[in-house]
Amino acid sequence: MNNRRIQQHEQTRRQMILSGVSMAALPWLGRPGQAAVSVNPRFADNPFTLGVASGDPTSDGVVLWTRLAPQPLQGGGLPPENYPVRWELAEDEGFRKVVQSGTELAAAAMGHSVHVEVSGLRPDCWYWYRFHSGDAVSRTGRTRTMPAADVLPERLKFCFASCQHYETGLFTAYEHMAAENPDLVLHLGDYIYEYEGKDNRVRKHSGPEITTLEHYRNRYAQYRLDPQLQTMHALCPWLVVWDDHEFDNNCAGAISEERGVSESEYLLRRAKAYQAYYENMPLRRPAIPSGSDMLLYRTLDFGRLARFEMLDTRQYRSDQPNGDGLKPLTGAVLDPQTTMLGTQQEQWLLSELSSSKSTWNVLGQQEKMERVDRVPGADQKFSMDQWSGYEVARRRLLTALSERRISNPIVLTGDIHSNWVNDLLVDFDRPRDPVVATEFVCTSISSGGNGVQKATGHALLMSENPFVKFQNSERGYVSCEVTAKEWRSRYQVVEYVDRPGAPLVTRSTWAVEAGRAGAEQV
């Protein structure tokens, strides 16, 4: 465990003790070896119901994931034993050229999930993988390594998405995304929703609002059973970060949005949510939760073409200023101590950006960085949950991007269930100042149900905010093609999600020329 992990672990331990939560009360903190090992497992039902996935690729390795769950909506359906799982990685889909293989334990303490960190692979190569346990074999997944650190690749094609509320729509967008055959997928949060099931929706969540570890495990299982989502995971590696609904709506640091919830109750629930998140995502060992803390921000390089900084804008932030909602820029909004990233993550980010040799520097994060006025006339109101509620921190980051001359900064954002293209300035009250970066915001996969091209108030929004270049309220994702000379983002939408079969529409395409901040419509 490195010094940062030790410090964060100790901080979390003290925080939970002071809040009245005993670390010994967290049953999943036991070692995998404490459970018996099932030597020759036999399964009455398929244990690989949740499919396979890969993630966090490097130039010589990648994480391979699966989770044993023959009864996925009943906590997985396995006794508290550890199960040996054999894995294979090959250069061909038929597994005639297996390059690596091994055995990992699917530990009961980790929800019978498996995280294989493969290394020693060739850079910029595609591979196929699968898992075996007992006489069961998983579906085949495909993954890839990143180009070598000193190589400038010709092209990168990736997609980014967020917000996939199971109840309010089908995941048709993933079916179209799979047809694009991207190198990578970035998921920017709200992978699940924590709410209790409701009748008369497209689909229904199983169970109540999720608060226990088994609740969270079952909810991930319900989402993972979706065939379009499962196929997209099996097609290429993913880079994932969370937002609020993986835990609890509008969560901020150690503060619940609900009155009457004590800090100890909140942190205990967060520990369960973070545990289930790790169990169900293709993440590396540094992300293993330590109590109610989980280290999720990290850097991934696609050769010298693009550096991805995956940010966590929930775990370390200050409480939403001025009581949340839409408010003017007063009070805690202007307090230099009000933070979105926390001091440590902010310092890490600036250090990583300053040391980058990449042509494009990409922030994968959750909350809209553009400052959008939501009311007409001289009065102004802004979202306190987005970066506009953390105005000093937002200016500090954008000032650093400008003064340190970070190469071609691009901000990728989710959360808001609508598409946006924004010019980012240090000071939006000085609209003639140079553009510092471009922000591409993706809509939801399904959250919000069927969308519309231009929602009520669209004209007002555009007139009040000259920095907004494009806005759209349909469902879908953003497909990006990146070269050393140009970044191009296509806004891919489906016109309905309440029934299958929605065709794909490219609603708008935007390009950023390398060395010249600001997006132009193609």
Side-chain angles (χ1 to χ4, degrees), residues 26-264:
L26 307 181
W28 55 90
L29 293 180
R31 296 178 181 273
Q34 291 178 337
V37 176
S38 179
V39 179
N40 295 304
R42 292 290 183 268
F43 302 99
D45 299 298
N46 174 23
F48 295 109
T49 56
L50 304 181
V52 300
S54 67
D56 278 19
T58 65
S59 60
D60 75 336
V62 69
V63 178
L64 309 180
W65 174 94
T66 193
R67 181 180 158 212
L68 302 183
Q71 298 176 34
L73 300 182
Q74 299 176 40
L78 292 176
E81 298 178 0
N82 300 332
Y83 290 80
V85 177
R86 187 164 60 90
W87 57 273
E88 298 176 288
L89 186 80
E91 293 181 347
D92 66 301
E93 192 171 5
F95 289 86
R96 291 178 295 273
K97 297 180 180 179
V98 174
V99 294
Q100 289 195 37
S101 62
T103 299
E104 295 281 338
L105 281 182
M110 286 295 200
H112 295 109
S113 62
V114 176
H115 298 73
V116 181
E117 295 190 24
V118 186
S119 60
L121 303 177
R122 291 188 293 127
D124 204 9
C125 286
W126 287 96
Y127 294 91
W128 285 259
Y129 64 97
R130 64 187 177 189
F131 299 90
H132 306 255
S133 189
D135 57 357
V137 183
S138 75
R139 71 182 295 170
T140 296
R142 190 182 70 153
T143 192
R144 63 162 299 153
T145 53
M146 298 287 211
D150 59 348
V151 170
L152 180 60
E154 180 180 345
R155 192 175 307 274
L156 163 65
K157 183 176 182 180
F158 76 95
C159 300
F160 70 99
S162 71
C163 303
Q164 49 196 45
H165 195 313
Y166 184 87
E167 291 195 312
T168 58
L170 304 177
F171 296 168
T172 309
Y174 282 128
E175 184 176 353
H176 295 295
M177 186 188 292
E180 295 200 29
N181 199 26
D183 294 302
L184 297 166
V185 170
L186 273 64
H187 197 285
L188 301 179
D190 293 345
Y191 188 96
I192 62 168
Y193 280 70
E194 80 280 22
Y195 303 129
E196 66 177 335
K198 292 186 177 180
D199 294 325
N200 302 315
R201 287 187 163 180
V202 177
R203 302 184 282 191
K204 186 176 181 180
H205 280 154
S206 59
E209 177 163 345
I210 52 179
T211 57
T212 71
L213 180 56
E214 184 164 328
H215 286 165
Y216 281 104
R217 286 172 172 168
N218 289 344
R219 186 60 54 85
Y220 278 104
Q222 185 172 29
Y223 279 58
R224 284 277 192 172
L225 288 170
D226 181 272
Q228 279 96 5
L229 177 59
Q230 198 170 119
T231 295
M232 195 62 239
H233 268 297
L235 188 64
C236 68
W238 286 41
L239 313 181
V240 299
V241 286
W242 55 39
D243 196 10
D244 51 344
H245 290 290
E246 286 86 352
F247 168 34
D248 190 30
N249 182 53
N250 271 23
C251 53
I255 302 166
S256 173
E257 75 162 348
E258 300 175 24
R259 293 183 179 180
V261 177
S262 70
E263 186 173 318
S264 60

Side-chain angles (χ1 to χ4, degrees), residues 329 368-372 382 387-388 390-403 409 411 421-439 464-469 516-519:
L329 299 184
K368 191 145 63 64
M369 200 169 286
E370 175 73 61
R371 200 187 78 179
V372 175
F382 305 91
W387 278 89
S388 52
Y390 301 75
E391 177 67 8
V392 178
R394 187 194 65 78
R395 289 195 186 200
R396 190 164 58 236
L397 174 56
L398 290 172
T399 297
L401 294 180
S402 176
E403 292 181 349
V411 178
V421 177
N422 302 320
D423 285 340
L424 296 180
L425 311 180
V426 172
D427 187 351
F428 288 113
D429 292 324
R430 299 172 60 179
R432 295 185 180 180
D433 280 4
V435 176
V436 173
T438 299
E439 181 179 33
E464 289 289 322
N465 302 280
F467 328 102
V468 176
K469 312 287 279 291
R516 183 179 179 182

